[in-house]
Amino acid sequence: MSKKLRTPREALAKMDNGATVMIGGFLCVGTPETLIEEVLRKDTKDLTLIGNDTGFPDRGIGRLIVAKRAKKVLASHVGTNPETGRQMHAGETEVVLVPQGTLAEQVRAGGAGLGGVLTPTGVGTIVEEGKQKITVNGREFLLEVALQADYALIKAHKADELGNLVYRRATRNFNPLMAMAAKTVVAEVEEIVPVGELDPDEIITPGLFVTYLVKRGKKDE
Amino acid sequence: MSKKLRTPREALAKMDNGATVMIGGFLCVGTPETLIEEVLRKDTKDLTLIGNDTGFPDRGIGRLIVAKRAKKVLASHVGTNPETGRQMHAGETEVVLVPQGTLAEQVRAGGAGLGGVLTPTGVGTIVEEGKQKITVNGREFLLEVALQADYALIKAHKADELGNLVYRRATRNFNPLMAMAAKTVVAEVEEIVPVGELDPDEIITPGLFVTYLVKRGKKDE
Amino acid sequence: MSKDFARERIARRIAHELQDGMVVNLGIGLPTWVANYLPSGSEVLLQSENGFVGLGPAPLPGQEDPDVTNAGGQPVTIVPGGACFDSAMSFAIIRGGHVDVTVLGALEVDEEGNLANWMVPGKMVPGMGGAMDLTVGARRVIVAMEHTAKGKPKILKKCTLPLTARQQVDLIVTELAVIEVTPQGLVLKEVAPDTTVAEVVAQTEATLIINTVKVMEV
Amino acid sequence: MSKDFARERIARRIAHELQDGMVVNLGIGLPTWVANYLPSGSEVLLQSENGFVGLGPAPLPGQEDPDVTNAGGQPVTIVPGGACFDSAMSFAIIRGGHVDVTVLGALEVDEEGNLANWMVPGKMVPGMGGAMDLTVGARRVIVAMEHTAKGKPKILKKCTLPLTARQQVDLIVTELAVIEVTPQGLVLKEVAPDTTVAEVVAQTEATLIINTVKVMEV
């Protein structure tokens, strides 16, 4: 049995109000719904949420938005969840829109110990507001700083007992990046296999990044 | 038969004197020896070489150093090839020593369209000389700019006919990064399998990065 | 002309711009249609920014794989030889110039090749998603859009909405015309067989440079 | 004391600092020896910066895999549960603070925890390899070295050689002593049973803060 295996309740027991939480997935493909369910249950609020999008009102990060658990959201797209737009316009929730490739690099930088990256994306648009512009070899770039979080809630296909993870198809997206960038990383998985069953070359997220494993669909009593 | 398959001579026919060439491998583990052999044969010189190290005098990048094909070398370590040190001290070859993690990020940035990255590595050492220092959240970082090349000579374990690549064990190192960062990417492989034989989840370097495939050990007549 | 008829024509014309071996990213909505008009046996490689290359047609009903969707969240397939990756790699491919062509919708385009397609202040603010990276990173940016919106021109002297990217558009394809963005300005290359140069000029706010104009293949 | 005896003692003492579950990177040379003194069944996870985690013991003769080497190029094994990656991921792990302890050799260390181990100007310039990233990135930096070189102290008031990293060393282990780097300076924690505090002080150029000194377990 994996030493990292927890129930959802155990895994998120120490998540406090006001925490910064990264959540994997792309329009709910590769989103840890069981962990989101637990955040809803335990009534954690004032969260800063970081994710590609805000899902749908009844799925993914969208459920946390509808339940008003976020004080701030960083995402590249909120169009599939009208409630996010409503809260943004009403001034109820701060929404920061970030180009998708920039968000990916910011999260990766946070995990990789980099202070940030220089990207050409957003130059000449409102995205550049308040950011440092740096010229390298005659081309202008925006300095986009690293992002880190208290928690990363991610979804993987399979784990071994050490927490090594593999992903399936389009569910990978932000999950391996977020796995690097948070103090506590909880991976929701379909299946846990014995150590040695995954080939070292096929592992995408080494287990050293993973704090806890939770089985998808597992409920606490 | 793969449309990308070439003999070493065909694959490197257009490599000119003065080219910038990235070469994969870590102390010759994962180094494309067949391609290096061809660079030696065709007498290309005044190269700027970028690699983790300069191998050994009789193996890997070291052979190009001994044959005096490089006017400039960027590497993290040259200690296993005394000839590199000799040429450096004698002023025959310009050698720029770069921290290994910085070199990896510079190559990746070149491939990813980033202008550079901010790293804490090298702050307070001679590595910071001539570089911009940027403070983010109270911590100092060095701005290390992206690297790109005319050629990347890489080594993979297996390719499919479209050039999708998988690597084996410790041979991966800089190879997938360099595959992203050069105009012409030549991958030396042990084996080429039909399209569809590699699972989409196991591919490390998508074939879109790969210009030509060369079979390891393949000689031109 | 019905909306669908216009959109089909645009998609069909853009398909001619895509050649075997090219890596192409098709935006959500109208751009997605372009895939339907590629010749059978086409070796255009479609990149899906949510995390793979080798985007294939929609699956047969009942054969959907919930883990295989396009960037709009719709079920799709992965062709043999496709490859999956994370979002950092996906945008390394996009930003790094490894996508040959991207096809994107637009709210406005202007004479400098500026593009606005991600927000209408105070109204629609869905977010830019991957559009800013695609526009900056792809080697060639093709805008696919209807020529006008509610009778008002969308090809302007200067964009009025917040930009997605500055000076990145290369080609504009509408149901009426094909327009190339050049350092000198917008060059009218083709007009549809059921319209005239004068009509296209009348429906375009931007100045069009007119030399040899061909009939658009539709 | 023979060189090998000294080195074995240093490695053995450092092994006590490593606990189950820790991710540890051992530098080339003496630090590599530490792995030999981990208790059997140890769950310390060794990271090898050339591209994997789960570094295992040397293979039996004839069972070497040319694709599985450590950062020094020597044949090793990968334990069950190990994982391979590229150099960017390897240093993301290192620079990003995901390595709990790194053990590195040194030419000089000083009172501020500065480390010099990569070059001697005009003489030996092998390059820093991964040492600068390891020193900056690992949560805890342990220096493993002989106390003196040719009779001259290596623990100095101020390093004279070009630095590998500034103020990153946490612990120094030699065949004579265990010394902790604190904001107040170097604290002598342990001395070997075959030496004395006075002897250690005599062989150290840096000022040592001396409170409770224990006998080093050797």
Side-chain angles (χ1 to χ4, degrees), chain C residues 55-98:
Chain C
L55 181 89
L60 296 175
Q63 296 189 8
E64 297 87 355
D65 178 340
D67 293 348
V68 183
T69 53
N70 65 16
Q74 298 155 318
V76 292
T77 51
I78 298 179
V79 300
C84 299
F85 31 74
D86 68 27
S87 296
M89 174 60 110
S90 185
F91 282 87
I93 290 171
I94 289 168
R95 202 192 306 99
H98 310 288

Short mmCIF file of all heavy atoms in Angstrom, two decimals, chain C residues 55-98:
data_model
loop_
_atom_site.label_atom_id
_atom_site.label_comp_id
_atom_site.label_asym_id
_atom_site.label_seq_id
_atom_site.Cartn_x
_atom_site.Cartn_y
_atom_site.Cartn_z
N LEU C 55 -4.24 16.08 -34.56
CA LEU C 55 -5.69 16.17 -34.35
C LEU C 55 -6.40 15.53 -35.52
O LEU C 55 -6.14 15.88 -36.67
CB LEU C 55 -6.07 17.64 -34.24
CG LEU C 55 -7.53 18.00 -34.01
CD1 LEU C 55 -7.78 18.06 -32.50
CD2 LEU C 55 -7.87 19.36 -34.61
N GLY C 56 -7.29 14.57 -35.22
CA GLY C 56 -8.04 13.91 -36.28
C GLY C 56 -9.50 14.30 -36.24
O GLY C 56 -9.92 15.12 -35.42
N PRO C 57 -10.28 13.69 -37.13
CA PRO C 57 -11.71 14.05 -37.21
C PRO C 57 -12.48 13.64 -35.96
O PRO C 57 -11.98 12.88 -35.12
CB PRO C 57 -12.20 13.25 -38.43
CG PRO C 57 -11.16 12.20 -38.67
CD PRO C 57 -9.88 12.70 -38.13
N ALA C 58 -13.69 14.13 -35.86
CA ALA C 58 -14.57 13.77 -34.74
C ALA C 58 -14.78 12.26 -34.74
O ALA C 58 -14.81 11.63 -35.79
CB ALA C 58 -15.90 14.50 -34.87
N PRO C 59 -14.87 11.66 -33.56
CA PRO C 59 -15.10 10.22 -33.48
C PRO C 59 -16.53 9.87 -33.89
O PRO C 59 -17.41 10.74 -33.88
CB PRO C 59 -14.88 9.90 -32.00
CG PRO C 59 -15.17 11.18 -31.30
CD PRO C 59 -14.81 12.30 -32.23
N LEU C 60 -16.75 8.63 -34.24
CA LEU C 60 -18.12 8.18 -34.49
C LEU C 60 -18.89 8.23 -33.18
O LEU C 60 -18.32 8.09 -32.10
CB LEU C 60 -18.10 6.74 -35.02
CG LEU C 60 -17.41 6.57 -36.39
CD1 LEU C 60 -17.33 5.09 -36.77
CD2 LEU C 60 -18.16 7.36 -37.46
N PRO C 61 -20.22 8.44 -33.29
CA PRO C 61 -21.02 8.49 -32.07
C PRO C 61 -20.81 7.21 -31.25
O PRO C 61 -20.77 6.12 -31.80
CB PRO C 61 -22.46 8.57 -32.59
CG PRO C 61 -22.34 9.15 -33.97
CD PRO C 61 -21.03 8.65 -34.51
N GLY C 62 -20.64 7.39 -29.95
CA GLY C 62 -20.42 6.25 -29.07
C GLY C 62 -18.96 5.88 -28.93
O GLY C 62 -18.61 5.09 -28.07
N GLN C 63 -18.10 6.45 -29.77
CA GLN C 63 -16.68 6.11 -29.69
C GLN C 63 -15.85 7.26 -29.11
O GLN C 63 -14.63 7.28 -29.24
CB GLN C 63 -16.16 5.72 -31.07
CG GLN C 63 -16.83 4.45 -31.59
CD GLN C 63 -16.18 3.91 -32.86
OE1 GLN C 63 -15.14 4.37 -33.29
NE2 GLN C 63 -16.80 2.90 -33.45
N GLU C 64 -16.52 8.22 -28.50
CA GLU C 64 -15.81 9.35 -27.92
C GLU C 64 -14.93 8.89 -26.76
O GLU C 64 -15.32 8.04 -25.96
CB GLU C 64 -16.79 10.41 -27.38
CG GLU C 64 -17.67 11.05 -28.44
CD GLU C 64 -18.94 10.26 -28.69
OE1 GLU C 64 -19.11 9.15 -28.13
OE2 GLU C 64 -19.79 10.75 -29.48
N ASP C 65 -13.73 9.46 -26.68
CA ASP C 65 -12.82 9.23 -25.56
C ASP C 65 -12.78 10.52 -24.76
O ASP C 65 -12.35 11.55 -25.27
CB ASP C 65 -11.43 8.88 -26.12
CG ASP C 65 -10.41 8.65 -25.03
OD1 ASP C 65 -10.62 9.11 -23.88
OD2 ASP C 65 -9.37 8.04 -25.33
N PRO C 66 -13.25 10.50 -23.51
CA PRO C 66 -13.33 11.77 -22.75
C PRO C 66 -11.96 12.43 -22.55
O PRO C 66 -11.89 13.61 -22.24
CB PRO C 66 -13.93 11.34 -21.41
CG PRO C 66 -13.75 9.87 -21.33
CD PRO C 66 -13.74 9.35 -22.73
N ASP C 67 -10.88 11.68 -22.72
CA ASP C 67 -9.54 12.25 -22.56
C ASP C 67 -8.99 12.86 -23.85
O ASP C 67 -7.87 13.39 -23.87
CB ASP C 67 -8.55 11.16 -22.10
CG ASP C 67 -8.86 10.66 -20.69
OD1 ASP C 67 -9.68 11.30 -20.00
OD2 ASP C 67 -8.29 9.63 -20.29
N VAL C 68 -9.76 12.76 -24.94
CA VAL C 68 -9.29 13.28 -26.23
C VAL C 68 -10.27 14.33 -26.76
O VAL C 68 -11.30 13.99 -27.35
CB VAL C 68 -9.10 12.15 -27.27
CG1 VAL C 68 -8.54 12.71 -28.58
CG2 VAL C 68 -8.18 11.06 -26.72
N THR C 69 -9.95 15.58 -26.51
CA THR C 69 -10.81 16.68 -26.93
C THR C 69 -9.96 17.76 -27.59
O THR C 69 -8.74 17.79 -27.38
CB THR C 69 -11.54 17.31 -25.72
OG1 THR C 69 -10.55 17.67 -24.75
CG2 THR C 69 -12.53 16.35 -25.10
N ASN C 70 -10.59 18.63 -28.36
CA ASN C 70 -9.84 19.76 -28.93
C ASN C 70 -9.86 20.93 -27.94
O ASN C 70 -10.41 20.81 -26.84
CB ASN C 70 -10.39 20.12 -30.32
CG ASN C 70 -11.83 20.64 -30.26
OD1 ASN C 70 -12.33 21.00 -29.19
ND2 ASN C 70 -12.49 20.66 -31.40
N ALA C 71 -9.28 22.06 -28.37
CA ALA C 71 -9.15 23.20 -27.46
C ALA C 71 -10.50 23.82 -27.15
O ALA C 71 -10.60 24.66 -26.25
CB ALA C 71 -8.20 24.23 -28.06
N GLY C 72 -11.55 23.41 -27.86
CA GLY C 72 -12.89 23.88 -27.55
C GLY C 72 -13.64 22.90 -26.66
O GLY C 72 -14.79 23.12 -26.33
N GLY C 73 -12.98 21.80 -26.30
CA GLY C 73 -13.59 20.81 -25.41
C GLY C 73 -14.42 19.77 -26.13
O GLY C 73 -15.05 18.92 -25.49
N GLN C 74 -14.44 19.80 -27.48
CA GLN C 74 -15.24 18.81 -28.22
C GLN C 74 -14.46 17.52 -28.44
O GLN C 74 -13.24 17.55 -28.62
CB GLN C 74 -15.63 19.39 -29.58
CG GLN C 74 -16.50 20.62 -29.47
CD GLN C 74 -16.37 21.49 -30.71
OE1 GLN C 74 -15.29 21.71 -31.23
NE2 GLN C 74 -17.51 22.00 -31.16
N PRO C 75 -15.16 16.37 -28.45
CA PRO C 75 -14.47 15.11 -28.68
C PRO C 75 -13.84 15.08 -30.07
O PRO C 75 -14.50 15.46 -31.04
CB PRO C 75 -15.58 14.05 -28.57
CG PRO C 75 -16.83 14.77 -28.23
CD PRO C 75 -16.61 16.22 -28.27
N VAL C 76 -12.61 14.65 -30.13
CA VAL C 76 -11.91 14.50 -31.41
C VAL C 76 -11.14 13.18 -31.37
O VAL C 76 -11.35 12.36 -30.46
CB VAL C 76 -10.94 15.68 -31.68
CG1 VAL C 76 -11.72 16.96 -31.92
CG2 VAL C 76 -9.95 15.84 -30.53
N THR C 77 -10.28 12.96 -32.34
CA THR C 77 -9.43 11.77 -32.34
C THR C 77 -7.98 12.22 -32.53
O THR C 77 -7.71 13.38 -32.87
CB THR C 77 -9.82 10.81 -33.48
OG1 THR C 77 -9.85 11.56 -34.71
CG2 THR C 77 -11.18 10.19 -33.24
N ILE C 78 -7.07 11.30 -32.27
CA ILE C 78 -5.65 11.55 -32.53
C ILE C 78 -5.24 10.59 -33.65
O ILE C 78 -5.48 9.38 -33.55
CB ILE C 78 -4.79 11.33 -31.27
CG1 ILE C 78 -5.22 12.31 -30.17
CG2 ILE C 78 -3.30 11.51 -31.59
CD1 ILE C 78 -4.46 12.17 -28.87
N VAL C 79 -4.65 11.12 -34.71
CA VAL C 79 -4.27 10.27 -35.85
C VAL C 79 -3.03 9.45 -35.49
O VAL C 79 -2.28 9.81 -34.57
CB VAL C 79 -3.98 11.12 -37.12
CG1 VAL C 79 -5.23 11.92 -37.51
CG2 VAL C 79 -2.78 12.03 -36.90
N PRO C 80 -2.80 8.34 -36.20
CA PRO C 80 -1.56 7.59 -35.96
C PRO C 80 -0.36 8.52 -36.20
O PRO C 80 -0.35 9.30 -37.15
CB PRO C 80 -1.60 6.48 -37.03
CG PRO C 80 -3.06 6.33 -37.36
CD PRO C 80 -3.65 7.71 -37.23
N GLY C 81 0.61 8.46 -35.30
CA GLY C 81 1.76 9.37 -35.40
C GLY C 81 1.58 10.63 -34.60
O GLY C 81 2.46 11.48 -34.55
N GLY C 82 0.43 10.78 -33.96
CA GLY C 82 0.21 11.94 -33.10
C GLY C 82 1.01 11.82 -31.81
O GLY C 82 1.47 10.73 -31.46
N ALA C 83 1.18 12.94 -31.12
CA ALA C 83 1.96 12.95 -29.88
C ALA C 83 1.33 13.89 -28.87
O ALA C 83 0.85 14.96 -29.24
CB ALA C 83 3.40 13.38 -30.17
N CYS C 84 1.32 13.47 -27.61
CA CYS C 84 0.73 14.27 -26.53
C CYS C 84 1.82 14.96 -25.71
O CYS C 84 2.92 14.44 -25.58
CB CYS C 84 -0.09 13.37 -25.60
SG CYS C 84 -1.44 12.55 -26.46
N PHE C 85 1.47 16.10 -25.13
CA PHE C 85 2.45 16.83 -24.31
C PHE C 85 1.72 17.74 -23.33
O PHE C 85 0.50 17.86 -23.38
CB PHE C 85 3.41 17.63 -25.19
CG PHE C 85 2.83 18.13 -26.48
CD1 PHE C 85 1.94 19.19 -26.48
CD2 PHE C 85 3.14 17.53 -27.69
CE1 PHE C 85 1.40 19.67 -27.67
CE2 PHE C 85 2.60 17.98 -28.90
CZ PHE C 85 1.72 19.06 -28.88
N ASP C 86 2.49 18.39 -22.46
CA ASP C 86 1.89 19.30 -21.49
C ASP C 86 1.76 20.70 -22.09
O ASP C 86 2.20 20.95 -23.22
CB ASP C 86 2.68 19.30 -20.16
CG ASP C 86 4.07 19.90 -20.29
OD1 ASP C 86 4.31 20.75 -21.18
OD2 ASP C 86 4.94 19.51 -19.49
N SER C 87 1.17 21.62 -21.34
CA SER C 87 0.89 22.96 -21.85
C SER C 87 2.17 23.76 -22.10
O SER C 87 2.20 24.63 -22.97
CB SER C 87 -0.01 23.71 -20.88
OG SER C 87 -1.26 23.07 -20.78
N ALA C 88 3.22 23.49 -21.34
CA ALA C 88 4.48 24.21 -21.57
C ALA C 88 5.06 23.82 -22.93
O ALA C 88 5.49 24.68 -23.70
CB ALA C 88 5.48 23.93 -20.45
N MET C 89 5.06 22.53 -23.23
CA MET C 89 5.54 22.07 -24.54
C MET C 89 4.61 22.56 -25.65
O MET C 89 5.06 22.96 -26.71
CB MET C 89 5.63 20.55 -24.54
CG MET C 89 5.99 19.96 -25.90
SD MET C 89 7.58 20.53 -26.56
CE MET C 89 8.52 19.00 -26.40
N SER C 90 3.31 22.53 -25.38
CA SER C 90 2.36 22.96 -26.41
C SER C 90 2.65 24.40 -26.84
O SER C 90 2.66 24.71 -28.03
CB SER C 90 0.93 22.85 -25.86
OG SER C 90 0.00 23.15 -26.87
N PHE C 91 2.93 25.24 -25.86
CA PHE C 91 3.19 26.64 -26.18
C PHE C 91 4.65 26.90 -26.53
O PHE C 91 4.96 27.92 -27.14
CB PHE C 91 2.65 27.55 -25.08
CG PHE C 91 1.16 27.70 -25.22
CD1 PHE C 91 0.30 26.78 -24.64
CD2 PHE C 91 0.62 28.67 -26.03
CE1 PHE C 91 -1.07 26.86 -24.82
CE2 PHE C 91 -0.75 28.76 -26.22
CZ PHE C 91 -1.60 27.86 -25.62
N ALA C 92 5.53 25.99 -26.20
CA ALA C 92 6.89 26.06 -26.75
C ALA C 92 6.80 25.85 -28.26
O ALA C 92 7.46 26.54 -29.04
CB ALA C 92 7.79 25.01 -26.11
N ILE C 93 5.97 24.92 -28.67
CA ILE C 93 5.76 24.68 -30.10
C ILE C 93 5.16 25.93 -30.76
O ILE C 93 5.61 26.36 -31.83
CB ILE C 93 4.83 23.46 -30.29
CG1 ILE C 93 5.57 22.17 -29.88
CG2 ILE C 93 4.34 23.36 -31.74
CD1 ILE C 93 4.69 20.93 -29.82
N ILE C 94 4.19 26.52 -30.11
CA ILE C 94 3.48 27.68 -30.67
C ILE C 94 4.37 28.93 -30.66
O ILE C 94 4.60 29.56 -31.68
CB ILE C 94 2.17 27.93 -29.89
CG1 ILE C 94 1.16 26.81 -30.21
CG2 ILE C 94 1.60 29.30 -30.17
CD1 ILE C 94 -0.05 26.76 -29.29
N ARG C 95 4.89 29.28 -29.50
CA ARG C 95 5.65 30.51 -29.34
C ARG C 95 7.00 30.43 -30.04
O ARG C 95 7.54 31.41 -30.52
CB ARG C 95 5.85 30.78 -27.83
CG ARG C 95 6.14 32.20 -27.50
CD ARG C 95 6.61 32.35 -26.07
NE ARG C 95 5.73 31.78 -25.08
CZ ARG C 95 5.89 30.58 -24.49
NH1 ARG C 95 6.92 29.81 -24.80
NH2 ARG C 95 5.04 30.16 -23.59
N GLY C 96 7.52 29.20 -30.10
CA GLY C 96 8.86 28.98 -30.66
C GLY C 96 8.92 28.96 -32.17
O GLY C 96 9.98 28.69 -32.74
N GLY C 97 7.81 29.25 -32.83
CA GLY C 97 7.84 29.31 -34.29
C GLY C 97 7.78 27.97 -34.98
O GLY C 97 8.17 27.83 -36.13
N HIS C 98 7.30 26.95 -34.27
CA HIS C 98 7.23 25.62 -34.85
C HIS C 98 5.86 25.32 -35.48
O HIS C 98 5.66 24.24 -36.02
CB HIS C 98 7.59 24.57 -33.80
CG HIS C 98 8.86 24.87 -33.07
ND1 HIS C 98 10.09 24.74 -33.66
CD2 HIS C 98 9.10 25.35 -31.83
CE1 HIS C 98 11.04 25.10 -32.80
NE2 HIS C 98 10.46 25.49 -31.68
#
